[in-house]
Amino acid sequence: MNKLFKEESFLGKIERLFWKLYSKEPLRFIFWGGINTLITLVNTIVLNFLLQSVEWQTKILGRAIDIPFIICFIIGIPIAYTTHTLFTFHVKWSWARLARYPLSSIPNFILQSGFIYLFGELLQIDIYLTYVISALLPLPIMFVINKFLVNPIKLKNKKEVVESE
């Protein structure tokens, strides 16, 4: 770890606290999940702004489908996998795990879409605030799902199984 500030200075103490907290996996997940969320939110808001003059709202079964959200959500999948693999869980990046990583996006997409519908359509909250709220609420569930899908499955060898019996 590179030290930017002298350890005894106020900023040095803040830096030491940051690295202590950053060493905890759930806090790294929140940090990198926040970066991923910020990237997706900015892209969604920009795309929503650019498409305001275009009729991009589609209705399926009477419900408006948020096309900018869907596009940016899909674009964010490989970004999220990469940051969580390399920086959150510290595991080797793999094409096979990237291929199964979108499975983590199914519950996230359902939760976020439901919150967008609840806050945006039913409660009539501003769409940009709705995007932010809808991105934050699923985080605890997504930590567990991402940990399972990003980390490689570790199989016990026969010796370990025999010793534990």
Side-chain angles (χ1 to χ4, degrees):
M1 153 177 51
N2 292 331
K3 301 266 184 198
L4 297 176
F5 304 101
K6 292 181 182 177
E7 201 164 321
E8 64 276 354
S9 72
F10 175 73
L11 292 176
K13 291 175 184 176
I14 298 291
E15 180 183 18
R16 189 172 62 239
L17 175 64
F18 172 81
W19 287 113
K20 182 178 181 181
L21 294 173
Y22 189 79
S23 70
K24 311 268 188 262
E25 200 171 73
L27 294 176
R28 283 196 312 269
F29 177 81
I30 291 170
F31 178 80
W32 287 105
I35 299 293
N36 295 329
T37 300
L38 186 63
I39 291 168
T40 302
L41 278 173
V42 168
N43 289 337
T44 302
I45 290 168
V46 168
L47 192 56
N48 192 335
F49 179 77
L50 293 174
L51 295 177
Q52 279 180 346
S53 61
V54 179
E55 184 56 44
W56 53 265
Q57 286 276 342
T58 305
K59 291 211 178 233
I60 297 179
L61 301 174
R63 183 175 176 264
I65 304 300
D66 194 334
I67 302 300
F69 169 70
I70 292 170
I71 292 169
C72 293
F73 195 91
I74 292 169
I75 291 170
I77 290 172
I79 296 168
Y81 170 74
T82 300
T83 57
H84 285 311
T85 297
L86 300 178
F87 305 121
T88 301
F89 301 113
H90 300 292
V91 294
K92 186 178 176 190
W93 196 96
S94 126
W95 285 105
R97 286 194 308 274
L98 174 61
R100 77 172 186 234
Y101 187 78
L103 293 174
S104 75
S105 298
I106 294 169
N108 194 15
F109 182 78
I110 291 169
L111 288 168
Q112 284 192 25
S113 294
F115 289 134
I116 288 171
Y117 177 72
L118 172 68
F119 297 121
E121 297 286 322
L122 298 180
L123 299 177
Q124 299 294 310
I125 295 175
D126 178 69
I127 191 67
Y128 301 113
L129 181 57
T130 294
Y131 286 146
V132 173
I133 295 169
S134 300
L136 295 176
L137 290 178
L139 281 176
I141 295 166
M142 297 316 302
F143 172 75
V144 174
I145 292 170
N146 276 286
K147 183 165 177 66
F148 176 73
L149 289 173
V150 169
N151 277 328
I153 298 170
K154 295 176 180 122
L155 300 174
K156 292 182 177 181
N157 64 30
K158 290 180 183 180
K159 183 179 178 184
E160 290 174 353
V161 173
V162 171
E163 290 174 358
S164 66
E165 293 177 345

